[in-house]
Amino acid sequence: PPIKLQEKVGAEGGNLAVGDGYLLVASEDKLVVFCQNRRLIERFREATALAPEQAQNYYRLALAAESSGMSELAMEHLKLTLSKAKPNEVVDGLPLMEAVRDHQHRIYMQQGYAAKEKEDWDLALSNFASAGEIARMPRDRLTATLELAESQAGSKRFKEAVKTLQSVLADPNLRS
């Protein structure tokens, strides 16, 4: 079946070359390179070894790990990113610290949903609480807090669930 490059990644078709785990697509005006995430992880591990002070290498490794479903590796490298990042450092047009927090929030939420589905309430509670604490945006914090309350109720901790919901009502940033 044809690969829908334009829809998936904004790349048009062209001449293809494959080698050493990479796919190159050469069109009239650009060259697009695709590779497996494990290859990216290897590359960024090498980059962190060569330049251990560069926060962006840890961040890029974390993104590759996250997209491969390797949440623990991603979280480890997001934490390393925070320890190495400079306050004014920017990645993809966003302050690096904020980008890291957004990824951490997303991973905590994913892990919380997975734990909730398995009715592993303690793990769900831990992840949703962490997601709520780290969320930058009120909407993200609200979602995490509501999931926390739902998981508290699911684990028969009704008083905690009520208290959590009352905290939503008491916070003007979450009410609006």
Side-chain angles (χ1 to χ4, degrees):
I3 300 170
K4 298 181 180 180
L5 291 174
Q6 183 68 34
E7 291 174 22
K8 296 282 185 185
V9 294
E12 298 175 12
N15 295 320
L16 303 177
V18 178
D20 199 25
Y22 294 93
L23 168 65
L24 288 82
V25 181
S27 66
E28 221 176 89
D29 59 344
K30 64 182 166 183
L31 177 67
V32 180
V33 180
F34 298 92
C35 70
Q36 296 175 334
N37 285 326
R38 71 173 169 75
R39 183 63 108 166
L40 282 176
I41 290 169
E42 287 173 24
R43 180 175 165 234
F44 289 120
R45 280 196 171 147
E46 291 169 5
T48 59
L50 292 172
E53 71 289 346
Q54 293 292 318
Q56 298 236 357
N57 292 330
Y58 296 96
Y59 177 73
R60 298 286 181 209
L61 193 156
L63 295 187
E66 180 185 2
S67 66
S68 297
M70 302 167 78
S71 299
E72 288 181 30
L73 182 64
M75 289 299 269
E76 174 189 339
H77 283 82
L78 289 170
K79 288 175 186 171
L80 285 167
T81 301
L82 289 175
S83 72
K84 306 286 183 181
K86 295 171 182 65
N88 59 349
E89 200 164 351
V90 175
V91 64
D92 301 330
L94 190 67
L96 181 58
M97 303 276 212
E98 292 181 13
V100 168
R101 285 179 62 189
D102 290 345
H103 284 283
Q104 288 176 317
H105 175 266
R106 184 170 44 247
I107 292 170
Y108 281 131
M109 291 299 292
Q110 289 169 347
Q111 291 176 334
Y113 288 130
K116 183 177 159 187
E117 190 168 312
K118 294 176 186 172
E119 297 185 3
D120 184 345
W121 299 116
D122 289 335
L123 186 57
L125 294 171
S126 172
N127 279 292
F128 289 133
S130 294
E133 289 169 13
I134 205 159
R136 287 185 317 113
M137 307 301 289
R139 183 180 190 165
D140 291 339
R141 203 165 86 234
L142 176 62
T143 301
T145 304
L146 293 175
E147 289 295 340
L148 175 62
E150 193 172 308
S151 296
Q152 288 166 330
S155 65
K156 310 288 189 242
R157 299 173 191 174
F158 299 112
K159 287 183 182 179
E160 289 178 35
V162 169
K163 189 174 179 180
T164 299
L165 292 172
Q166 287 173 333
S167 75
V168 170
L169 294 174
D171 187 335
N173 293 320
L174 298 183
R175 279 192 316 225
S176 56

